[in-house]
């Protein structure tokens, strides 16, 4: 796997020769135990070899590892005593952080926020359960989890969402991993006190105060909660954007953006408050022409980039795609930086524990954290990951 500033159809060997002739270093090949860094403006792109349990495309999922920040891995041992350890990507040494008082095998929650959240349970059926928030720097904050879990921890799904950092709030839910799921409890915790937040201070739908048909919740890079709301009726050309204020426990209107009815999925919020989203347009050739759009609340201006390829996903300030004329190459475009990274010679990868149906994909599972996104690549050396962070 190579990250090249090169024309995508040039053979890798020819690219290396041309770079050498120009006095530039030849493309660096990723080694098994190494982490490779590329800087693009304010972004850092880190090529890594993550444990399979970290990414959402791995089957079966195992909760013993988590990605915390763009360059920190967390691991919890699978035998008693349960030890939480950390290491920096690109290094081989693990550092023990804490021995956990868990009765059952701990697991990492499906979390959204700046910290990884580890679930530490007591005996089956008890209320002696806790959530351990772990920062990329290795600080551990234990928060009581006020719920009784009547089945083994391995049979439940714990989801959390954090806003406002370590002095903010943490919403949580616990449910049986079944179809349909069985809810055991949910709530919101004040991280300053470890106590449950009163209902009147919890996040409420904007629709309680404004008449909207549809809304989308988003989390910004700075761990701020946003909602985008689409007005009633079919003739409106605008959507409204709100930000949740922890200090006043209310939604603050930020302004309107043009209403793009054909947009796919939820927008993502960049650090400057702009919204990034994708708009597909099908063609007669069973392909899609894509538009990647940037909008700023309070402005009618739309900035658009056109993509002729299979769009893998949009991040705040970048997007990744497989060109239709070269589907074994992935392009990561940073349009505001006027720069692209190109990864060639990729292939599908369908071998346990991975199921990668395209040469690359954007991971929407456990690996997504505030301010970072993981891209998964199939290479001749196996699956590799790219971690993109501001």
């Amino acid at each position: 796997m190579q990250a090249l500033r090169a024309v995508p159809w040039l053979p890798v060997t020819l690219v290396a020769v041309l770079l050498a002739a120009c006095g530039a270093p030849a493309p660096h090949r990723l080694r098994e135990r190494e982490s490779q860094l590329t800087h693009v403006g304010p972004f850092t792109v880190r090529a890594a070899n993550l444990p399979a349990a970290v990414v959402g495309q791995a089957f079966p999922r195992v909760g013993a590892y988590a990605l915390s920040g763009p360059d920190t891995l967390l691991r919890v041992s699978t035998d008693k005593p349960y030890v939480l350890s950390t290491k920096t990507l690109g290094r081989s040494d693990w550092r023990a952080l804490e021995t956990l008082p868990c009765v059952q095998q701990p697991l990492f929650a499906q979390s959204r926020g700046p910290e990884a959240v580890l679930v530490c349970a007591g005996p089956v059926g008890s209320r002696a359960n806790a959530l351990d928030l772990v920062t990329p720097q290795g600080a551990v904050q234990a928060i009581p989890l006020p719920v009784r879990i009547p089945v083994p921890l391995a049979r439940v799904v714990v989801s959390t969402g954090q806003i406002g950092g370590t002095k903010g709030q943490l919403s949580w839910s616990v449910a049986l991993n079944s179809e349909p799921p069985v809810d055991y409890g949910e709530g919101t915790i004040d991280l300053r006190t470890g106590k449950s937040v009163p209902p009147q201070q919890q996040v409420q739908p904007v629709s309680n105060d404004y008449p909207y048909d549809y809304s989308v919740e988003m989390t910004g890079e700075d761990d701020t909660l946003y909602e985008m709301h689409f007005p009633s009726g079919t003739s409106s050309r605008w959507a409204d954007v709100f930000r949740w204020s922890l200090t006043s426990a209310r939604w603050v209107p930020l302004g309107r953006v043009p209403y793009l009815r054909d947009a796919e999925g939820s927008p993502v919020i960049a650090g400057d408050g702009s919204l990034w989203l994708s708009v597909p347009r099908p063609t007669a050739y069973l392909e899609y022409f894509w538009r990647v759009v940037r909008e700023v609340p309070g402005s009618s201006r739309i900035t658009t980039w056109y993509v002729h390829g299979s769009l893998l996903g949009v991040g705040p300030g970048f997007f990744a795609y497989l060109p239709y004329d070269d589907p074994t190459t992935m392009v990561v475009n940073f349009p505001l930086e006027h720069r692209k990274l190109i990864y060639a010679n990729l292939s599908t990868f369908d071998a346990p524990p991975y199921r990668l149906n395209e040469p690359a994909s954007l991971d929407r599972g456990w690996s997504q954290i505030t301010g970072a996104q993981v891209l998964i690549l199939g290479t001749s050396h196996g699956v590799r990951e790219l971690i993109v962070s501001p």
Side-chain angles (χ1 to χ4, degrees):
M1 179 178 69
Q2 299 88 17
L4 309 177
R5 289 297 310 278
V7 180
W9 48 263
L10 286 177
V12 173
T13 52
L14 179 56
V15 172
V17 170
L18 292 176
L19 288 173
C22 295
H28 181 71
R29 185 174 297 276
L30 183 70
R31 297 190 181 93
E32 188 72 21
R33 295 181 176 272
E34 177 172 52
S35 183
Q36 179 185 0
L37 285 177
T38 302
H39 297 285
V40 182
F43 295 92
T44 297
V45 182
R46 183 182 299 273
N49 186 204
L50 298 176
V54 170
V55 296
Q57 277 78 355
F59 296 92
R61 292 187 179 181
V62 181
Y65 290 90
L67 182 64
S68 178
D71 60 359
T72 302
L73 269 180
L74 298 174
R75 180 183 69 184
V76 62
S77 57
T78 55
D79 298 307
K80 292 183 178 181
Y82 299 118
V83 178
L84 177 65
S85 303
T86 182
K87 81 164 185 174
T88 301
L89 291 177
R91 300 180 182 177
S92 59
D93 55 316
W94 287 88
R95 176 172 63 91
L97 293 178
E98 192 170 304
T99 299
L100 304 170
C102 314
V103 175
Q104 304 179 58
Q105 168 67 50
L107 59 82
F108 286 98
Q110 300 188 41
S111 58
R112 184 191 68 229
E115 279 81 47
V117 180
L118 184 68
V119 186
C120 184
V124 174
S126 79
R127 292 183 174 271
N129 307 308
L131 298 174
D132 292 326
L133 278 67
V134 190
T135 70
Q137 295 75 33
V140 182
Q141 179 183 8
I143 301 293
L145 179 61
V147 64
R148 176 181 173 271
I149 305 177
V151 298
L153 185 61
R155 294 179 56 191
V156 304
V157 174
V158 181
S159 299
T160 64
Q162 188 177 352
I163 57 174
T166 56
K167 296 182 179 180
Q169 296 177 358
L170 182 75
S171 61
W172 60 270
S173 66
V174 180
L176 181 66
N177 190 8
S178 61
E179 192 59 44
V182 178
D183 294 328
Y184 293 138
E186 61 181 6
T188 303
I189 298 171
D190 186 333
L191 295 178
R192 294 169 300 179
T193 64
K195 298 180 179 180
S196 295
V197 176
Q200 65 270 21
Q201 295 181 354
Q202 295 180 16
V203 177
Q204 303 294 329
V206 174
S207 56
N208 288 356
D209 301 316
Y210 301 88
Y212 292 98
D213 281 347
Y214 177 65
S215 64
V216 174
E217 185 178 287
M218 306 163 290
T219 303
E221 291 180 9
D222 60 352
D223 195 32
T224 301
L225 187 64
Y226 296 82
E227 282 204 11
M228 184 176 182
H229 290 266
F230 306 94
S232 303
T234 58
S235 60
S236 177
R237 299 170 48 216
W238 304 97
D240 293 291
V241 182
F242 296 81
R243 181 183 66 232
W244 178 256
S245 170
L246 277 173
T247 55
S248 61
R250 67 182 184 91
W251 289 102
V252 178
L254 299 180
R256 290 183 164 183
V257 295
Y259 182 9
L260 302 177
R261 300 181 184 280
D262 297 329
E264 182 176 88
S266 300
V268 292
I269 303 285
D272 61 2
S274 61
L275 282 71
W276 293 68
L277 60 159
S278 59
V279 183
R281 182 171 67 84
T283 71
Y285 303 101
L286 301 179
E287 293 180 343
Y288 281 83
F289 287 131
W290 292 89
R291 287 190 296 146
V292 175
V293 174
R294 178 181 182 266
E295 300 180 318
V296 178
S299 172
S300 61
R301 182 183 178 184
I302 300 176
T303 306
T304 301
W305 297 273
Y306 293 92
V307 179
H308 186 254
S310 176
L311 186 66
L312 301 177
V314 178
F318 65 92
F319 54 91
Y321 64 97
L322 305 172
Y324 285 138
D325 57 356
D326 189 5
T328 64
T329 292
M330 184 187 72
V331 179
V332 186
N333 190 350
F334 300 85
L336 297 182
E337 306 303 323
H338 307 288
R339 188 174 172 194
K340 299 177 182 179
L341 296 180
I342 298 174
Y343 297 85
N345 302 322
L346 305 179
S347 61
T348 59
F349 196 92
D350 188 8
Y354 294 97
R355 295 175 186 172
L356 194 61
N357 297 323
E358 288 189 296
S361 73
L362 183 140
D363 179 51
R364 295 176 174 85
W366 286 356
S367 65
Q368 186 169 5
I369 59 173
T370 298
Q373 176 63 57
V374 173
L375 291 153
I376 306 171
L377 283 64
T379 77
S380 59
H381 300 282
V383 167
R384 295 295 183 270
E385 292 81 20
L386 297 178
I387 305 170
V388 184
S389 59

